[in-house]
Amino acid sequence: MRQVRRVVVAGGGTAGWLAAAALVRQLSPLIEVVLIESDAIGTVGVGESTIPTIRTFHDFIGVDEDAFVRATGATFKLGISFEHWLREGARYFHAFGSVGRSMFVADFQHFWLEARRQGFGGAYGDYSAELRAAAEGRFSTDPAAGLAYAYHLDATAYAAFLRGHAEAAGARRIEGRIVAVDRDGETGDLRALRLASGAVIDGDFFIDCTGFRALLIEDALTTGYDDWSHWLPTDTALAVQTDSVGPPMPYTRAIAHCAGWRWRIPLQHRVGNGIVFSSRDMTEEEARATLLDGIEGTPLFDPRPIRFTTGMRKRAWHRNCLALGLASGFIEPLESTSIHLVMIAVTRFVQSFPFAGDDGALADRFNARTRAEWEHVRDFVILHYHLNDRAEPFWRRMAAMEVPDTLAARIALFREQAAAFQDQDQIFRIDSWVQVMLGQGLEPRDYHHLARMLPAQDLQRALGGLDAGIRHRLQTVPSHADFLRRFA
Ligand SMILES: Cc1cc2nc3c(=O)[nH]c(=O)nc-3n(C[C@H](O)[C@H](O)[C@H](O)COP(=O)(O)OP(=O)(O)OC[C@H]3O[C@@H](n4cnc5c(N)ncnc54)[C@H](O)[C@@H]3O)c2cc1C
């Protein structure tokens, strides 16, 4: 078994620099980290909406929030506004944080459903501070407001910011194009990367962050790919940036169209826009027209097409190679989960680092947990598509398809008794499932009868108390635009 001293990261996009930053920060001087990237090839240039776990990861690698927000033109994100998903004109919000207050025996939705049956109380989302702040365009990191939040960030600036961070902590960068991957004749493990310059960079462990090219994990190691496009058939995106025409809202917009959806991600200095679509149902020209019709502000360049197949690598960690980011697979970006999946994988890799080499046990455990996380995210994204009343052929197919058993069981559980759950290695909380299931029109047949035992005036008082509590928390929260001025 070969000792692992030198880790070679191939690729310097968000995934590569996140990996390098975490490894040097946590494991240096036990290991040496070298990163190879090619300025001539560049990065995918999208990936600008995140979820709150990014803050935990930033703590893990020692990122200062103010410096990060300044360097990446970041804005703050309280959730996602889903528009026209259930049907044209319908709208709901998937907010971060918790909705209402749960009790040990029954979660909040049961009490809310009982109040609705009796004809009082507000909408489910009225009991989310994040949703209410988002709707009013307000934001603050003040602990008194207690808002759960993530960021919108400039992807190119973020990779550059992480690079500075990783290099300062000791990562070494090598500029160059990888043209060949050398393997050990006996073991089949990776041994070195050959660059166009003729340089040979050898290592003990390799991290494939070469994006959709997957040079190490697939070209060299032919690890294989689980294709999930029968469940998530969108396969193309067009992305374009525009200048800002109004104050940035503290949420991402996901706007459904006849064959997919469009995104709108506000940054401090510009807006990221894109369209995701199924090429079976929409031509690139139609998608371009739909995207450009829907944007506000002047496009800063021509929309760039990006093609993908939703799915995951059969093994993220195979032999002495770990794939991260787009090299490890891709679940279309509806719930902004890719960067999170990189962060959680890097964290776990640091926790299970194979100092004395790996004879399979570490990798097997790592891969099992990775698969559980990915399948959970996959199910959550499918849910948005599957439950819909839209009329177009794409949406009818999505409504009629057979979903994974794991998702079918969740839908049945909610339909039967308004129940939802969150297991280990599952990022989406009960509140997330409930918001999307209700938002996509799933009506439970029943709910926990504990909620019926509460006298109506007590239930009314409890909901009133939650409402007043949120109002109190938000009373001094400034507008998002005002809050951002402190970073100018
Ligand atoms: C349309 C779309 C929208 C997305 N939106 C989101 C979102 O909102 N939120 C989110 O979390 N994620 C999102 N993602 C995913 C996100 O963009 C990626 O997870 C993230 O950017 C990481 O990408 P990467 O570093 O794996 O790949 P890349 O950015 O493609 O980087 C690959 C790196 O490998 C290098 N490289 C490649 N080949 C070679 C070679 N031969 N030699 C040397 N270097 C090489 C390149 O130079 C580059 O540095 C989105 C993705 C797509 C496609």
Side-chain angles (χ1 to χ4, degrees):
M1 207 68 67
R2 184 167 162 152
Q3 298 288 311
V4 177
R5 273 284 307 155
R6 180 190 248 214
V7 176
V8 178
V9 180
T14 300
W17 284 114
L18 279 174
L23 285 166
V24 281
R25 171 85 187 189
Q26 295 293 330
L27 299 181
S28 175
L30 297 172
I31 61 165
E32 177 198 351
V33 178
V34 178
L35 183 145
I36 303 165
E37 72 174 321
S38 162
D39 281 341
I41 293 175
T43 64
V44 70
V46 284
E48 308 207 313
S49 186
T50 63
I51 60 175
T53 48
I54 188 172
R55 292 168 48 214
T56 315
F57 187 83
H58 280 176
D59 287 346
F60 181 62
I61 62 171
V63 162
D64 171 71
E65 182 171 73
D66 284 16
F68 154 78
V69 170
R70 283 201 179 88
T72 62
T75 61
F76 295 87
K77 173 182 170 188
L78 292 165
I80 304 176
S81 163
F82 286 95
E83 300 167 29
H84 313 302
W85 280 79
L86 175 56
R87 65 179 77 88
E88 278 298 329
R91 181 178 177 195
Y92 69 95
F93 204 88
H94 172 198
F96 301 140
S98 44
V99 183
R101 192 176 305 130
S102 290
M103 289 176 65
F104 180 64
V105 175
D107 293 315
F108 177 68
Q109 73 270 16
H110 300 280
F111 299 94
W112 176 78
L113 285 163
E114 171 62 11
R116 192 182 65 171
R117 187 183 69 82
Q118 294 195 38
F120 59 82
Y124 181 71
D126 287 356
Y127 302 98
S128 154
E130 287 75 9
L131 189 154
R132 281 169 55 172
E136 293 167 18
R138 299 204 283 156
F139 182 77
S140 169
T141 54
D142 182 354
L147 296 172
Y149 65 92
Y151 311 103
H152 300 124
L153 50 86
D154 177 322
T156 308
Y158 188 45
F161 174 78
L162 291 167
R163 173 182 166 184
H165 195 74
E167 286 184 321
R172 185 159 70 88
R173 175 186 185 272
I174 298 174
E175 165 64 33
R177 191 161 57 85
I178 301 160
V179 290
V181 180
D182 288 354
R183 296 178 65 180
D184 187 299
E186 261 173 47
T187 64
D189 281 357
L190 303 183
R191 279 293 154 253
L193 304 182
R194 289 180 184 274
L195 307 189
S197 63
V200 178
I201 315 297
D202 56 7
D204 306 312
F205 199 96
F206 294 80
I207 306 205
D208 187 348
C209 298
T210 58
F212 286 128
R213 291 171 193 83
L215 288 182
L216 282 55
I217 197 80
E218 202 55 58
D219 280 8
L221 294 176
T222 51
T223 303
Y225 195 74
D226 282 342
D227 180 339
W228 291 336
S229 56
H230 51 296
W231 286 312
L232 292 168
T234 59
D235 57 2
T236 315
L238 292 171
V240 69
Q241 298 167 2
T242 51
D243 51 10
S244 312
V245 290
M249 297 311 281
Y251 55 84
T252 302
R253 287 178 67 192
I255 308 155
H257 61 76
C258 64
W261 61 285
R262 291 186 288 120
W263 77 75
R264 189 177 154 81
I265 300 175
L267 301 182
Q268 288 176 42
H269 52 298
R270 62 159 172 85
V271 176
N273 309 269
I275 184 166
V276 174
F277 61 99
S278 146
S279 61
R280 173 178 162 189
D281 300 85
M282 193 178 225
T283 65
E284 199 172 302
E285 279 325 298
E286 287 167 339
R288 190 178 304 266
T290 307
L291 173 64
L292 293 176
D293 275 358
I295 57 176
E296 295 162 19
T298 314
L300 302 179
F301 50 76
D302 259 356
R304 289 182 306 110
I306 305 169
R307 284 171 234 293
F308 55 84
T309 304
T310 284
M312 72 179 287
R313 209 59 63 195
K314 285 194 186 301
R315 294 172 65 82
W317 179 344
H318 185 40
R319 297 184 174 276
N320 61 338
C321 176
L322 171 68
L324 293 175
L326 300 173
S328 65
F330 183 54
I331 298 175
E332 67 120 290
L334 186 60
E335 280 285 353
S336 333
T337 41
S338 292
I339 294 172
H340 160 77
L341 289 170
V342 176
M343 292 175 169
I344 195 93
V346 172
T347 307
R348 180 171 317 122
F349 185 64
V350 169
Q351 289 165 341
S352 34
F353 193 84
F355 294 100
D358 165 46
D359 59 6
L362 283 171
D364 284 351
R365 173 80 183 137
F366 183 97
N367 288 331
R369 294 192 62 190
T370 300
R371 178 163 291 277
E373 276 155 10
W374 280 66
E375 290 181 351
H376 173 78
V377 171
R378 173 201 68 190
D379 284 4
F380 191 57
V381 173
I382 296 173
L383 177 72
H384 301 65
Y385 282 102
H386 180 55
L387 301 178
N388 81 82
D389 288 341
R390 292 188 60 118
E392 300 93 337
F394 168 82
W395 291 97
R396 293 329 311 138
R397 284 204 310 280
M398 297 306 284
M401 75 178 160
E402 201 171 307
V403 298
D405 292 348
T406 38
L407 176 58
R410 276 191 184 269
I411 292 174
L413 194 65
F414 192 77
R415 187 173 278 133
E416 226 165 272
Q417 217 197 11
F421 62 92
Q422 180 186 22
D423 284 339
Q424 203 208 354
D425 296 327
Q426 300 191 337
I427 180 66
F428 289 108
R429 294 151 25 109
I430 291 171
D431 315 68
S432 295
W433 286 97
V434 174
Q435 288 180 78
V436 176
M437 286 188 179
L438 290 174
Q440 295 288 150
L442 184 62
E443 274 300 318
R445 233 182 18 232
D446 199 6
Y447 46 88
H448 201 291
H449 290 196
L450 182 74
R452 299 193 178 183
M453 287 163 60
L454 217 56
Q457 62 273 33
D458 288 2
L459 184 52
Q460 223 157 0
R461 201 175 315 115
L463 292 181
L466 288 170
D467 177 56
I470 291 174
R471 255 186 288 128
H472 180 73
R473 276 166 65 189
L474 298 184
Q475 69 189 1
T476 58
V477 170
S479 78
H480 183 220
D482 280 347
F483 186 75
L484 282 169
R485 278 196 193 100
R486 71 151 78 166
F487 300 99

